[in-house]
Amino acid sequence: MLKLSNKSANAWRALQRQCAAGMATAAPRIGDTKVPMSLLEKDAFINYQRIEDNLEVVRARLQRPLTLSEKILYGHLDDPHGQDITRGVSYLKLRPDRVACQDATAQMALLQFMSAGMDTAAVPTTVHCDHLIEAQVGGVKDLDRAININKEVYDFLATATAKYGLGFWKPGSGIIHQIILENYAFPGGLMIGTDSHTPNAGGLGMIACGVGGADAVDVMAGIPWELKCPKVIGVNLTGKIGGWTTPKDVILKVAGILTVKGGTGAIVEYFGPGVESLSCTGMATICNMGAEIGATTSLFPYNNRMGDYLKATNRGNIADYAQSFSHNLRADKGAEYDQVIDINLSELEPHVNGPFTPDLATPISKFAEEAKKNGWPEEIKVGLIGSCTNSSYEDLGRSASIVQQALDHGLNFKSKFTVTPGSEQVRATIARDGYVGTFEEAGAVVLANACGPCIGQWDRKDVKKGEKNTIVTSYNRNFTGRNDANPATHAFVTSPDLTTAFALAGSLSFNPLTDSLTGADGKPFKLAEPSSNELPPLGYDPGENTFQPPPADRTSVNVAVSPTSDRLQLLKPFPPWDGKTPKDLPILIKVKGKCTTDHISAGGPWLKYRGHLENISQNCLIGAINIENNEANKVKNQLTGEYGPVPKTAAYYRDHGVKWVVIGDHNYGEGSSREHAALEPRFLGGLAIITRSFARIHETNLKKQGMLALTFVDPADYDRVLPSDKVSILGLESFAPGKNLTLLVKHENGTTEEIPLAHSFNEGQIEWFKAGSALNLMAAKAKGKQA
């Protein structure tokens, strides 16, 4: 537990006096006011009273000032009196306000929810169709094609949401995180979502965490959500943002400081006077990309910029309610952080991050030099703006202002250029206000309101696979092959402003802050600083209504799942642990280097199988590099001696009654929250994933599915295990929290050695392992209650 400095102790006593004074005047209870969480859920109300009541208990226990994230988290505790609260140690039991699922992950989440035997979701829940629309030729045609190709999945989602009382956002609605920001996010709320960029809602002062589908099922079933009590990283923003520097550059800078794993196990909390110069959607951008540093989530304190956005999206009542609760929507004076990063926005340069990783941060003043030194392809083939990270009205307006300058000088894009609106509301508004016309006049293609190329849904034709090339995006993630499945594509992440300027110049060596373009008249000109209204002066145009509320009578709704489908498959329970010590298990693959969830369960064309576990398991670990031969998807079958694909080898072991393990490197499972990366190895007969370290969401997902997620006590012991070894896991008969297990390694030459293994399982998670999965345990308990 954190120790109080004298300064903090004095602040705590002052806070106690303020609270006592407030109690003496018998102020009305915050809960006396009833404000709906959204315009679409009139019977679900914001529960500030719970936060107020919980914090009264927690403050008395901890006797110290609280950070903003602590206030919101502890304000949602299931048991504030008995909950152990130690940052980085305790497992908190929390009661989220809502759940959000995107269509690719919702399929498995809903299939699991159906297996749990519930008839309605315990908290407001929505499903958003944004992942299954492939970018090919343009918005309307791509959407029509997706609706036709994915009809079976969309019908399942539409009927399942109707059956279980969930809100359903149809294809074309927009990207889940933008829809949440426009309709559901509210200051002080707690939400979980089955997508790693759920923290986008932190732009409205909400703690929003990416999780696997099994976590979502727990909350939908009325079970408290479990989260390891996060540490808190503070980012103190001073100065004022302006010029070519954007909110995106804040998180690009932070990513360079913390790296892709520096935020693991922590919430990143922004504060300081510089916050006031950021728009609400700009704050959302920063929180969104916090997923790239492994952070549990990120958030900002409530301010007038959030209030303005709430009012612009017809939620002025929430803005007023939040203002009345603002004392709990900011950190206490004297609150202490585990780490503090200082950033002066007035001095912050625009940044470009990449290639191949989102934490390789380079300021624009040094970028051309770095590109030349590293041999990055100078010609930019494609510039892509939009996505869940940067597709607000302000973002697209600033880009349009840059494009208009080029048009005024007779120029079009030199690179191909695509625009992805974040929502139907944003699309309709930028069309009405002329931005779409500006983009298209310069040669851009406006894509569907969906994730598109950001998640690999891109039917790219301009380069061949394996051809070295450069793309620049305003997206959030740029792992190898992420956008176009081409491992030779050098993908760089930056702001929409720089992406647009780069695409007009067509070259990585162009710096719009110092360099000039040549107009059609042959004269050089410099681009002026981009500008845009933060919010549309004429208000938002809602566009087409694409929301399906649950029907009043759900009894007659039948969920559409065909037994012959290759897209959807009802789930069968995984077998429980047999109680025996696992002996002489083969190593399926010893993974070399970075292994993200993209490597473990690829996206792109595989997204269509997200509701069919058997089919999608054919992509299990096909992108991981085998340290034995430095090749992907080629491992040795230790039973036959033959080399073959990873999924085929895993299935061979399973079908012959042999469990297997994977050996992984640092930050194994970073990236998307996709629980398929845990479901697939479980389905194929895996028992344990043993690594130097895990990314938070993936580690939890593995536990939920009954897998052993274990780490080397000494990370250097990774080198002691050879791909040809057989291993035994000792100590499971006395499996207990905080007690190490032992890996008995048997080498080909007959020698053996023992390696200590750590784990982070608590008592409840150990029960998941013994039962075969968290869902098995839930179903057994539900059956016991019914009996």
Side-chain angles (χ1 to χ4, degrees):
M1 194 111 26
L2 295 178
K3 293 183 178 179
L4 286 181
S5 64
N6 288 335
K7 180 181 176 182
S8 297
N10 291 335
W12 167 244
R13 284 191 285 271
L15 191 64
Q16 285 180 308
R17 289 193 293 271
Q18 292 171 16
C19 292
M23 291 174 65
T25 58
R29 285 164 51 90
I30 190 74
D32 293 342
T33 302
K34 299 296 181 186
V35 176
M37 280 198 283
S38 82
L39 298 173
L40 302 170
E41 297 158 341
K42 298 296 178 67
D43 297 325
F45 300 100
I46 294 174
N47 195 351
Y48 282 159
Q49 190 62 57
R50 172 176 55 186
I51 297 177
E52 191 91 353
D53 294 343
N54 276 11
L55 290 184
E56 184 178 353
V57 176
V58 172
R59 288 186 189 285
R61 291 181 55 199
L62 297 186
Q63 295 285 304
R64 62 173 174 81
L66 302 175
T67 69
L68 170 59
S69 56
E70 288 184 306
K71 287 183 176 183
I72 299 175
L73 272 187
Y74 305 161
H76 286 80
L77 286 172
D78 182 53
D79 177 13
H81 295 276
Q83 173 70 63
D84 179 53
I85 303 173
T86 306
R87 286 187 195 171
V89 177
S90 308
Y91 280 88
L92 305 179
K93 298 282 190 179
L94 302 163
R95 290 287 183 179
D97 296 297
R98 65 179 312 110
V99 174
C101 306
Q102 41 96 331
D103 51 355
T105 52
Q107 296 169 63
M108 195 57 66
L110 289 174
L111 288 166
Q112 292 179 86
F113 184 74
M114 290 165 62
S115 300
M118 305 288 293
D119 61 0
T120 191
V123 301
T125 302
T126 51
V127 171
H128 305 257
C129 294
D130 62 357
H131 270 56
L132 300 178
I133 302 169
E134 184 181 49
Q136 196 175 69
V137 295
V140 175
K141 291 183 178 179
D142 290 348
L143 177 59
D144 288 344
R145 187 176 69 258
I147 291 173
N148 179 56
I149 292 172
N150 301 307
K151 183 179 186 304
E152 181 182 12
V153 171
Y154 292 147
D155 286 348
F156 165 70
L157 294 175
T159 54
T161 52
K163 183 70 174 178
Y164 297 108
L166 319 182
F168 180 61
W169 288 85
K170 301 173 187 176
S173 301
I175 305 173
I176 176 173
H177 312 302
Q178 185 68 28
I179 297 294
I180 291 293
L181 199 71
E182 293 173 354
N183 296 276
Y184 299 112
F186 66 89
L190 174 62
M191 178 180 72
I192 61 170
T194 59
D195 189 281
S196 57
H197 293 102
T198 299
N200 190 78
L204 265 175
M206 187 179 212
I207 285 191
C209 302
V211 299
D215 276 354
V217 171
D218 279 356
V219 176
M220 291 165 65
I223 297 172
W225 175 52
E226 188 174 78
L227 175 71
K228 192 170 189 177
C229 189
K231 295 183 178 181
V232 189
I233 297 173
V235 180
N236 179 29
L237 300 179
T238 58
K240 184 177 181 181
I241 206 158
W244 281 88
T245 302
T246 71
K248 183 67 164 283
D249 298 301
V250 175
I251 185 58
L252 294 176
K253 175 71 172 179
V254 171
I257 295 170
L258 290 177
T259 78
V260 291
K261 58 184 179 180
T264 302
I267 289 179
V268 180
E269 188 174 308
Y270 294 84
F271 62 92
V275 169
E276 299 304 317
S277 68
L278 304 174
S279 66
C280 175
T281 51
M283 289 186 268
T285 290
I286 294 169
C287 292
N288 177 296
M289 201 176 156
E292 310 321 315
I293 57 174
T296 301
T297 194
S298 305
L299 82 162
F300 281 82
Y302 181 73
N303 65 4
N304 291 332
R305 306 296 281 271
M306 294 183 190
D308 291 343
Y309 184 79
L310 286 167
K311 292 169 185 174
T313 51
N314 302 312
R315 293 175 288 168
N317 58 340
I318 295 180
D320 293 339
Y321 199 36
Q323 185 61 45
S324 70
F325 194 60
S326 59
H327 61 284
N328 277 327
L329 298 176
R330 59 176 178 262
D332 290 338
K333 186 176 181 180
E336 295 194 352
Y337 298 88
D338 295 282
Q339 178 183 354
V340 174
I341 296 169
D342 293 298
I343 296 178
N344 186 335
L345 298 179
S346 300
E347 299 174 353
L348 179 64
E349 274 194 70
H351 275 62
V352 185
N353 286 26
F356 306 120
T357 185
D359 59 352
L360 179 59
T362 308
I364 186 63
S365 61
K366 298 180 180 178
F367 185 68
E369 177 188 344
E370 286 296 308
K372 184 176 181 180
K373 183 174 71 176
N374 289 285
W376 299 332
E378 182 178 349
E379 180 191 3
I380 299 169
K381 292 290 188 181
V382 191
L384 307 98
I385 66 170
S387 84
C388 66
T389 314
N390 279 112
S391 58
S392 68
Y393 182 84
E394 180 183 31
D395 286 330
L396 300 183
R398 285 174 63 94
S399 289
S401 76
I402 298 169
V403 175
Q404 188 59 57
Q405 293 180 62
L407 291 172
D408 292 344
H409 286 84
L411 297 185
N412 292 335
F413 289 109
K414 281 194 176 180
S415 308
K416 293 180 183 293
F417 195 76
T418 69
V419 180
T420 302
S423 68
E424 169 60 10
Q425 179 167 270
V426 168
R427 184 212 61 78
T429 305
I430 65 171
R432 180 201 65 195
D433 292 353
Y435 299 165
V436 168
T438 298
F439 287 128
E440 292 181 337
E441 184 181 348
V445 174
V446 178
L447 299 175
N449 313 323
C451 299
C454 183
I455 60 160
Q457 284 285 50
W458 184 15
D459 184 20
R460 189 179 180 191
K461 302 290 189 183
D462 63 303
V463 297
K464 296 178 181 178
K465 191 168 183 178
E467 181 181 340
K468 193 175 179 181
N469 74 101
T470 286
I471 65 173
V472 180
T473 84
S474 72
Y475 301 164
N476 45 41
R477 196 161 279 165
N478 61 343
F479 301 139
T480 302
R482 165 78 177 184
N483 305 120
D484 61 1
N486 180 3
T489 294
H490 291 55
F492 296 90
V493 173
T494 187
S495 66
D497 299 6
L498 281 191
T499 301
T500 305
F502 275 133
L504 289 169
S507 169
L508 285 185
S509 64
F510 180 67
N511 179 354
L513 283 71
T514 57
D515 300 341
S516 298
L517 295 171
T518 302
D521 58 3
K523 297 179 180 180
F525 71 97
K526 277 188 67 178
L527 292 169
E529 294 175 353
S531 62
S532 174
N533 289 303
E534 176 181 340
L535 299 165
L538 300 178
Y540 282 106
D541 182 337
E544 182 183 347
N545 183 6
T546 52
F547 177 66
Q548 172 190 291
D553 181 10
R554 297 184 273 121
T555 56
S556 60
V557 178
N558 293 313
V559 180
V561 180
S562 168
T564 59
S565 172
D566 71 344
R567 299 286 302 270
L568 298 163
Q569 182 184 50
L570 295 176
L571 297 175
K572 296 179 181 178
F574 292 130
W577 177 48
D578 59 13
K580 299 177 182 178
T581 296
K583 294 182 178 179
D584 294 329
L585 309 185
I587 294 169
L588 175 66
I589 181 173
K590 181 179 178 181
V591 178
K592 178 182 178 181
K594 185 185 285 283
C595 188
T596 71
T597 48
D598 281 15
H599 294 89
I600 304 168
S601 177
W606 291 95
L607 287 175
K608 64 184 178 182
Y609 295 127
R610 285 284 180 87
H612 198 291
L613 183 53
E614 183 174 0
N615 285 346
I616 199 170
S617 292
Q618 300 314 303
N619 77 0
C620 183
L621 285 159
I622 62 175
I625 300 301
N626 181 5
I627 200 169
E628 180 187 13
N629 53 19
N630 286 317
E631 294 187 47
N633 204 27
K634 186 177 180 182
V635 296
K636 184 177 182 178
N637 185 323
Q638 292 197 30
L639 299 183
T640 67
E642 298 176 355
Y643 282 84
V646 179
K648 184 177 179 181
T649 305
Y652 185 93
Y653 290 148
R654 177 198 62 193
D655 295 344
H656 287 77
V658 177
K659 297 182 177 68
W660 46 264
V661 305
V662 167
I663 304 297
D665 214 318
H666 285 294
N667 209 29
Y668 183 91
E670 69 175 277
S672 299
S673 67
R674 64 191 67 162
E675 65 177 336
H676 297 77
L679 279 161
E680 292 174 30
R682 182 73 169 99
F683 176 77
L684 290 172
L687 177 77
I689 310 294
I690 304 167
T691 71
R692 294 191 206 247
S693 64
F694 283 102
R696 174 189 64 86
I697 299 176
H698 185 61
E699 181 179 20
T700 300
N701 286 346
L702 288 168
K703 293 177 182 179
K704 285 274 183 178
Q705 301 307 333
M707 292 280 290
L708 289 172
L710 309 173
T711 55
F712 295 107
V713 171
D714 180 357
D717 285 343
Y718 165 90
D719 296 320
R720 295 167 62 188
V721 183
L722 306 177
S724 58
D725 291 340
K726 297 284 183 67
V727 300
S728 302
I729 300 175
L730 310 181
L732 285 177
E733 69 282 351
S734 56
F735 198 9
K739 184 178 180 182
N740 287 347
L741 300 173
T742 299
L743 188 71
L744 176 63
V745 180
K746 184 184 294 183
H747 300 301
E748 271 189 308
N749 62 8
T751 62
T752 63
E753 55 183 313
E754 293 188 352
I755 297 174
L757 299 177
H759 66 84
S760 61
F761 282 79
N762 59 28
E763 291 285 3
Q765 294 168 344
I766 290 172
E767 292 305 308
W768 297 344
F769 168 70
K770 291 179 178 178
S773 71
L775 189 60
N776 285 2
L777 191 62
M778 183 195 302
K781 289 180 178 179
K783 189 175 181 180
K785 288 180 181 178
Q786 292 170 0

